[in-house]
Each structure stands twice: as C-alpha cells, then as structure tokens.
Amino acid sequence: MSTQTIAMHPSSGAVCLNADAAGDADILRSLGTIQSLSRNGRIYAEGDETDAWYRIVSGTACLYRIMPDGRRQIGVFLLPGDFFGFEAGPTHRFAAEALGDTKVVRYPRNRLERIADKDPDFGRRLRDIACQRLDAAHDQLLLLGRKTALEKVASFLMEMIRHAPDSAFVHLDMSRGDIGDYLGLTLETVSRMFSQMKHLGAIALPAANAVRVLDHEMLASIAGEAVDESTPVLRAVGRA
Amino acid sequence: MSTQTIAMHPSSGAVCLNADAAGDADILRSLGTIQSLSRNGRIYAEGDETDAWYRIVSGTACLYRIMPDGRRQIGVFLLPGDFFGFEAGPTHRFAAEALGDTKVVRYPRNRLERIADKDPDFGRRLRDIACQRLDAAHDQLLLLGRKTALEKVASFLMEMIRHAPDSAFVHLDMSRGDIGDYLGLTLETVSRMFSQMKHLGAIALPAANAVRVLDHEMLASIAGEAVDESTPVLRAVGRA
DNA sequence: CGAATTGTTGAAGTGCTTCAAATAACGTGG
DNA sequence: CCACGTTATTTGAAGCACTTCAACAATTCG
C-alpha cells in the first residue's frame, strides 16, 4: 500500500462522470497523490475526518457502514473515474475500502476549495459531481425500497454493464456477500437470482466472478428498465 | 396554487441546513419566487427540466418515483428550510409534491450559477447543501437495506423529532401510506409498528397524525441509534 | 495435493405482505 | 350542530418472498 507524491492523470479509460470532458484535467493532474491498495485495503474509516476528495484510477472500491450487531450496508460500488469522499459533516459516516487491487487519487479538500475560489467553472464541476452521486443514491433508494430480489440483482448487473468497456461481458471484483450487502439481500439469495437469470437465458456464468450477457433486452426488462416502453413483455418475469 | 413574483425570505423558524447561518440570506432574499400549494400539489414532475433549486418555506413536501406497475418510493420528506430540486441530469428523475398546505421558494438555476460565479463562498454553500442531501440519502440506504420494520418506523420518528420544534411531540403531515412508501413497507406494517411502539410505552398516539414521545431513549434504542453506547439494553426489542 | 475459502442448492422458518373486515376520523350538506 | 357518506387507520388471518440453517460443490492458494 504505497503512497507516492507523483501526481498522475486519472485513467482516461472508463470515465463515469464525464470528468475528463471539461478542461479541468490539467488542474487535477498536478493536485492529487496516488494510493495503491489491495483487497480490503482501507481508504478511510467511519469517523475519519472528511478532509479530501478521492477518485478511483483503476480497480473497484466501495463505501459501507456496519451496524453494532454486524449488519452491513454497502452504499455504492466505486468504479474507475468515480469521485467519492465528500460529505457535509466533519467526519465520514461511511468507510471506504478497496475490493481488489485498486489505485486511488487523493485530492486535499482545501486545495480544491482554493481552486474553486478562483475558478467558478471548477466549483461548478465539483457541484455537478456531488449531484451525480446524489442521483445515483436516489436510484438506489428505489431499488432497495421497492424492487424484488430478482429485479435488484438484474439492476445491479445493468449498472455494472453500463460502466464496463464490453457491454456483453462483466468481471465482478466483489463477492456474492458484497453484492448482497449492496442490494439489501443475503448472499444466498443473490446466488439464487444469478442462477435464475441463467435458467431464464438472460446470462451465462463462465466463472463465479464473471457474467456474460446473452439477452440484454431481457435483462433490462427484468431490472424494470424496459428499453422499449411499448413492449413490457417480460415485466411479468420478475413476479411470476 | 398561486405564484407570486414577490420575493420572500425563507422562514427563519425551522432551519434544517444551516442555510441562514451564512451571510447569504440577503442574496437569496431577492432571488426567488414563492409558490403556494395544497395537499398533492405538484411542484414538478418526473421528466421536467432541472432548471431551478427550491426550498421549503413552510409545510411539508416529498420527492418520489413511481414504477410502471404502480410501486412508489418516496426518496425524502422535505421540511421547512430544506433545499431540493438539484440534479445532475437535464430532467428530474423524481417528482416533487406537497403533502399539506405548503409554501416553496423557487430559485432559477442560472441566477444561482451567476451568483456563484462571482461569489465563491456562495458556490461552496450550494456544494455543501448538495453534500448534506447526499449524507441523508446514504443514511436512508442503510435504513432501507438493513433495518427491520420496527427499526425503520422508529428511525423515521427520530428524524421527524430532530426537525420538530418540540422534541416530545410531532405532527405528521403524511399518511401511513406515504410513510410506508418512504420506508419500503406497506401502510399496514407501518400502522402495526406504531401500535407496537405504543404498547412498548415508547410513544402515545393522541391522534392518527400526531405522536407524543414518552420514552425518547427507548425510541432511539429501537431505531438503532443508542444514545449511550454502553447500554444497548433495548437493542433486543427490535428483534424479539 | 490438501486445506481453506467462496459459491451453489435444498429445506425449514419467519417477517412482512396481501387480503379482508371493522373502527375511527373527516368533510359535507342538510 | 348533527347525520351520513367517504376516506384513513387499525387489526386479524393467510400467504409468500426472502432468510436462516445446513450440506455440498467448486475454486483458490499455500
């Protein structure tokens, strides 16, 4: 888990927040420090000071919270390009941890603030990033509150696909237990739903941590995101 | 449902986001237009353009999303002082609706942006507000994903109490159905949990839409927010 | 190659939902 | 101000989706 002072430009590969689209790449380039982590490597803990913004360069991480009796909720899976770590309070309410070999850039908050003070566009970008995280959180509220187990797992896969370079194949850095804690399910239920989608012909499971999408439309339909409004044919699948 | 052009200062009574603490009251004062709504009055619909920020002056509102088959998830209840309406995308993903007689201020987005362009502190404030909404959404993820029905309803009451002027009495503008759609439960389950907390002696129900808190500590304990870490005596209540 | 970890599948249990009915609260017009 | 229809809430009983417990299979790693 080395920490270099060398600044690096965030991976231009899988960008999730249109972050490189604006002209702020140059600004960010000389601002952050890189952290390299391996599976379960802690980026920050619940209760740590919120004194920086972070961004995933490569790999996968997650934000989570654990209740006194051990119940865990993963708030979000973070993929390359994703920003995180900004909260309103003085201390983190969620912990941040790497799921596999992961590289993260750390941007000290006061430096960002100083830049934003002089560059309104940059400040606006920070605001947009926060708003995008809020949108994602709101989507997750609908998922957790009102979707069935099958819809939840299908939605999760759709989300992974959306961020993957190949929309027909996804490699999962997280375990079934991690996915369960993200979707509000047990790991057994997650596994069962994967099997069910396999039997339905929506996906194939070449390995435990890899998913091949056989029928993208069916998957979207199961997830409750019917691509074509006029043909909600498979809506019934999720309930029958 | 009238719309005046007269600008008004948001109620300085129950402020939830420390919004009046900073010196931006003067700025906001001359910026917004007031909207008066009654029960079920629509502030904006899903799909409408995201061209403004809003703030509750008085009353209560909520953000919600409805699935094609009618399932509804309320993302957040909005109380006096709360800001809302800012999203990253060009259109609203959640609709906004009043729950009772409610007054809302509407701040056109481009005007806010123009002010933020010249006043970095104001821009920072907008950012902080977005981050606070994000914190609240993350808390709700834990609630929806991992808490039991009793814990959910107790947590909901704790949240209402936190925002109420009198911490021993809360008037609820929302129906049991609204609360259910907020907590990912049916209205019957919400009602049963209210009854259960009454039998436990944590609350009294002088009217259907009013709650008197008899044992604040017990309520906090049921909600999973034990005030005193060393005495998690009642943690068992939620599960027995 | 064998031990440990992770994933899958089965069977029984339970917490919440669904369906149904009764009660209470509300609003409206007489 | 009260009677009445309407709507919201409470409570009961049955059903079901997901969990829990348990065993087995597959994969990983020393």
Side-chain angles (χ1 to χ4, degrees):
Chain A
M1 202 191 305
S2 67
T3 302
Q4 313 161 235
T5 344
I6 306 155
M8 203 188 101
H9 181 57
S11 106
S12 49
V15 175
C16 306
L17 294 173
N18 293 331
D20 292 312
D24 55 19
D26 293 327
I27 297 170
L28 288 175
R29 197 191 300 263
S30 59
L31 202 64
T33 54
I34 293 270
Q35 265 179 290
S36 294
L37 305 119
S38 50
R39 167 96 187 154
N40 294 329
R42 167 153 298 168
I43 301 164
Y44 54 77
E46 208 180 317
D48 282 1
E49 265 191 88
T50 53
D51 52 1
W53 287 42
Y54 299 82
R55 191 184 195 195
I56 306 286
V57 176
S58 64
T60 319
C62 71
L63 304 184
Y64 68 90
R65 195 144 129 195
I66 295 182
M67 293 177 69
D69 62 357
R71 283 175 285 177
R72 180 175 73 147
Q73 178 66 40
I74 290 181
V76 61
F77 286 128
L78 300 158
L79 302 171
D82 286 344
F83 286 89
F84 64 101
F86 34 100
E87 296 181 41
T91 59
H92 286 293
R93 305 154 79 88
F94 276 68
E97 205 173 279
L99 289 171
D101 288 339
T102 302
K103 277 193 166 58
V104 167
V105 207
R106 183 178 190 281
Y107 303 112
R109 188 170 160 153
N110 51 29
R111 286 203 207 171
L112 294 183
E113 300 283 9
R114 237 180 293 148
I115 294 173
D117 284 349
K118 289 170 188 163
D119 181 352
D121 282 338
F122 185 78
R124 195 194 323 276
R125 275 292 322 291
L126 295 183
R127 226 178 302 138
D128 284 345
I129 288 167
C131 284
Q132 260 164 315
R133 292 270 69 123
L134 185 59
D135 286 356
H138 276 152
D139 286 346
Q140 194 69 359
L141 291 180
L142 178 68
L143 180 147
L144 288 173
R146 287 302 179 210
K147 289 193 177 179
T148 65
L150 188 63
E151 290 171 329
K152 283 178 177 182
V153 176
S155 300
F156 162 74
L157 278 182
M158 289 295 290
E159 190 186 347
M160 289 298 122
I161 289 164
R162 216 173 293 128
H163 291 266
D166 178 356
S167 71
F169 185 83
V170 188
H171 177 84
L172 302 174
D173 273 340
M174 60 291 282
S175 70
R176 296 289 186 268
D178 292 334
I179 297 170
D181 284 345
Y182 177 58
L183 302 175
L185 299 170
T186 60
L187 64 92
E188 293 95 333
T189 300
V190 172
S191 179
R192 274 183 253 269
M193 296 304 121
F194 269 105
S195 299
Q196 197 172 332
M197 290 195 295
K198 192 177 73 179
H199 292 312
L200 286 169
I203 61 169
L205 297 167
N209 59 352
V211 179
R212 178 165 297 287
V213 181
L214 300 177
D215 190 334
H216 195 278
E217 204 169 321
M218 186 191 285
L219 193 62
S221 174
I222 294 171
E225 316 174 3
V227 182
D228 187 348
E229 276 301 313
S230 61
T231 53
V233 189
L234 284 157
R235 295 288 359 278
V237 173
R239 347 214 71 216
Chain B
M1 200 192 309
S2 67
T3 302
Q4 313 160 235
T5 342
I6 304 156
M8 204 188 99
H9 181 57
S11 106
S12 49
V15 175
C16 305
L17 293 173
N18 293 330
D20 292 311
D24 55 20
D26 293 326
I27 297 170
L28 288 175
R29 196 192 301 263
S30 59
L31 203 64
T33 53
I34 292 269
Q35 265 178 288
S36 294
L37 305 118
S38 50
R39 167 96 188 152
N40 294 330
R42 168 152 299 170
I43 300 163
Y44 54 76
E46 207 180 317
D48 283 1
E49 266 190 89
T50 53
D51 52 2
W53 287 41
Y54 299 81
R55 192 183 195 198
I56 305 286
V57 177
S58 64
T60 319
C62 71
L63 303 184
Y64 67 89
R65 193 143 129 197
I66 295 182
M67 293 176 71
D69 62 356
R71 282 175 286 177
R72 181 174 72 146
Q73 179 65 41
I74 290 181
V76 61
F77 285 127
L78 300 158
L79 303 170
D82 285 346
F83 286 89
F84 64 101
F86 35 99
E87 296 181 42
T91 58
H92 286 294
R93 305 155 78 89
F94 276 67
E97 206 173 277
L99 289 171
D101 289 338
T102 302
K103 278 193 166 59
V104 167
V105 207
R106 184 178 190 281
Y107 303 111
R109 188 171 161 148
N110 52 29
R111 286 202 209 170
L112 293 184
E113 299 283 10
R114 236 180 293 148
I115 294 173
D117 283 348
K118 288 170 190 163
D119 181 352
D121 282 338
F122 186 79
R124 194 195 324 276
R125 276 289 325 290
L126 295 183
R127 224 178 304 138
D128 284 346
I129 288 168
C131 284
Q132 259 163 316
R133 293 270 67 125
L134 184 59
D135 286 357
H138 276 152
D139 285 346
Q140 194 68 359
L141 292 180
L142 178 69
L143 181 148
L144 287 173
R146 288 301 179 211
K147 289 194 177 180
T148 65
L150 188 62
E151 290 171 330
K152 284 178 177 182
V153 176
S155 299
F156 162 75
L157 278 181
M158 288 295 290
E159 190 185 348
M160 289 298 122
I161 290 164
R162 217 172 292 128
H163 292 265
D166 179 356
S167 71
F169 186 84
V170 187
H171 177 84
L172 302 174
D173 273 340
M174 61 293 281
S175 70
R176 296 288 185 269
D178 292 333
I179 297 170
D181 285 345
Y182 177 59
L183 302 175
L185 300 170
T186 60
L187 64 92
E188 292 95 333
T189 299
V190 173
S191 178
R192 274 183 253 268
M193 297 305 121
F194 269 105
S195 298
Q196 197 171 332
M197 290 194 295
K198 192 177 73 180
H199 292 312
L200 285 170
I203 61 170
L205 297 167
N209 59 351
V211 178
R212 180 165 296 286
V213 181
L214 300 178
D215 190 334
H216 194 277
E217 204 169 321
M218 186 191 285
L219 193 61
S221 175
I222 295 172
E225 317 175 0
V227 183
D228 187 350
E229 275 301 312
S230 61
T231 54
V233 189
L234 284 156
R235 294 288 0 274
V237 172
R239 346 215 72 214

